[in-house]
Amino acid sequence: MFSLPIYLAMHIPDGYLSLPVSLVTGVIAIALIALSLNRVQSEYKERTVPLMGVSAAFIFAAQMVNFPIIGGTSGHLLGGTLAGILLGPWAGSLVMSVVFIVQSVMFQDGGLTALGANITIMGLIGTFGGYYLYQFLRALIGRNTWLGMSIGTAIASWTSVVVAAGLCALMLSLSDTVPLVVGLTAMLSWHFMIGIGEAFITLTVVSFIWNTRPELIYNTSSQNSAQITINQDDE
């Protein structure tokens, strides 16, 4: 079965990044984790902790399930935007970091020396970038409407995968692993399709929660959360 070359996969293994790139992304990842821990401890309620555990378990398990794409290869859920939508960017990025650490240490999915890069690419871009794009689109289309939520979720999920793939190609190019044009062409073309699967899975999960337990979707305004519930009751 054909598969992407290992250096064109999103989970970067050991030996494909230069020392400067590994060090810089490692510092970024450590800073992200430290800030996330501080924000979660100071701002999030205790009821968020069980949801973080459930989300981490779901994303970890979902990443093990591959879906076929054109060419005989496959992709899997990254989950950054999903974590951000359910938990907010800080708790979401912390959950993603834990997932990547467990995958790297216990399952050798992604190298230890590239762990900082993987957390930066899929945690920072996937979670923060996806979350804030999702919120922007919701505000633009209709914050407390299903249409705003669904369009925001789908576009943000797809975009987070494609942007993360582009950043991955840039890091590989800076490390002299693969030329930038080659890396961008391969990564963006494949992850354009993988992003469609990401959008479908994320939208399915978020829509189910929206219709059953909308209060579980992260929102900085309790008034907005209450309004969502009212809208659901009206429907």
Side-chain angles (χ1 to χ4, degrees), residues 197-220:
E198 177 90 7
F200 175 77
I201 295 172
T202 304
L203 180 56
T204 299
V205 174
V206 175
S207 292
F208 175 78
I209 296 175
W210 175 278
N211 289 316
T212 57
R213 295 288 301 278
E215 72 277 6
L216 293 180
I217 298 177
Y218 177 82
N219 201 310
T220 54

Side-chain angles (χ1 to χ4, degrees), residues 33-205:
I33 293 172
L35 286 172
S36 297
L37 282 170
N38 182 62
R39 292 293 293 269
V40 168
Q41 290 175 346
S42 62
E43 296 182 10
Y44 285 69
K45 299 179 181 178
E46 290 184 1
R47 72 179 183 88
T48 305
V49 176
L51 184 58
M52 288 175 65
V54 172
S55 299
F58 174 80
I59 292 171
F60 183 89
Q63 287 189 359
M64 298 295 184
V65 179
N66 293 296
F67 51 85
I69 57 176
I70 298 173
T73 186
S74 61
H76 64 75
L77 177 78
L78 294 182
T81 300
L82 175 60
I85 292 173
L86 296 182
L87 302 167
W90 297 104
S93 63
L94 193 59
V95 162
M96 295 303 295
S97 297
V98 170
V99 169
F100 297 139
I101 290 171
V102 172
Q103 288 177 336
S104 178
V105 173
M106 298 186 63
F107 296 92
Q108 289 77 54
D109 187 5
L112 289 174
T113 59
L115 184 56
N118 287 324
I119 291 175
T120 299
I121 292 171
M122 293 179 281
L124 185 61
I125 301 299
T127 306
F128 275 85
Y131 170 78
Y132 284 110
L133 178 57
Y134 155 80
Q135 287 285 27
F136 171 76
L137 292 172
R138 274 189 63 184
L140 190 66
I141 299 170
R143 177 170 296 280
N144 298 318
T145 65
W146 185 89
L147 181 64
M149 178 280 296
S150 59
I151 292 178
T153 297
I155 293 178
S157 301
W158 180 86
T159 303
S160 68
V161 171
V162 174
V163 172
L167 181 58
C168 180
L170 177 61
M171 289 184 183
L172 292 170
S173 175
L174 292 174
S175 302
D176 295 323
T177 301
V178 61
L180 181 60
V181 174
V182 174
L184 283 175
T185 300
M187 290 292 288
L188 294 181
S189 61
W190 287 114
H191 286 87
F192 179 95
M193 293 178 286
I194 292 174
I196 296 174
E198 177 90 7
F200 175 77
I201 295 172
T202 304
L203 180 56
T204 299
V205 174

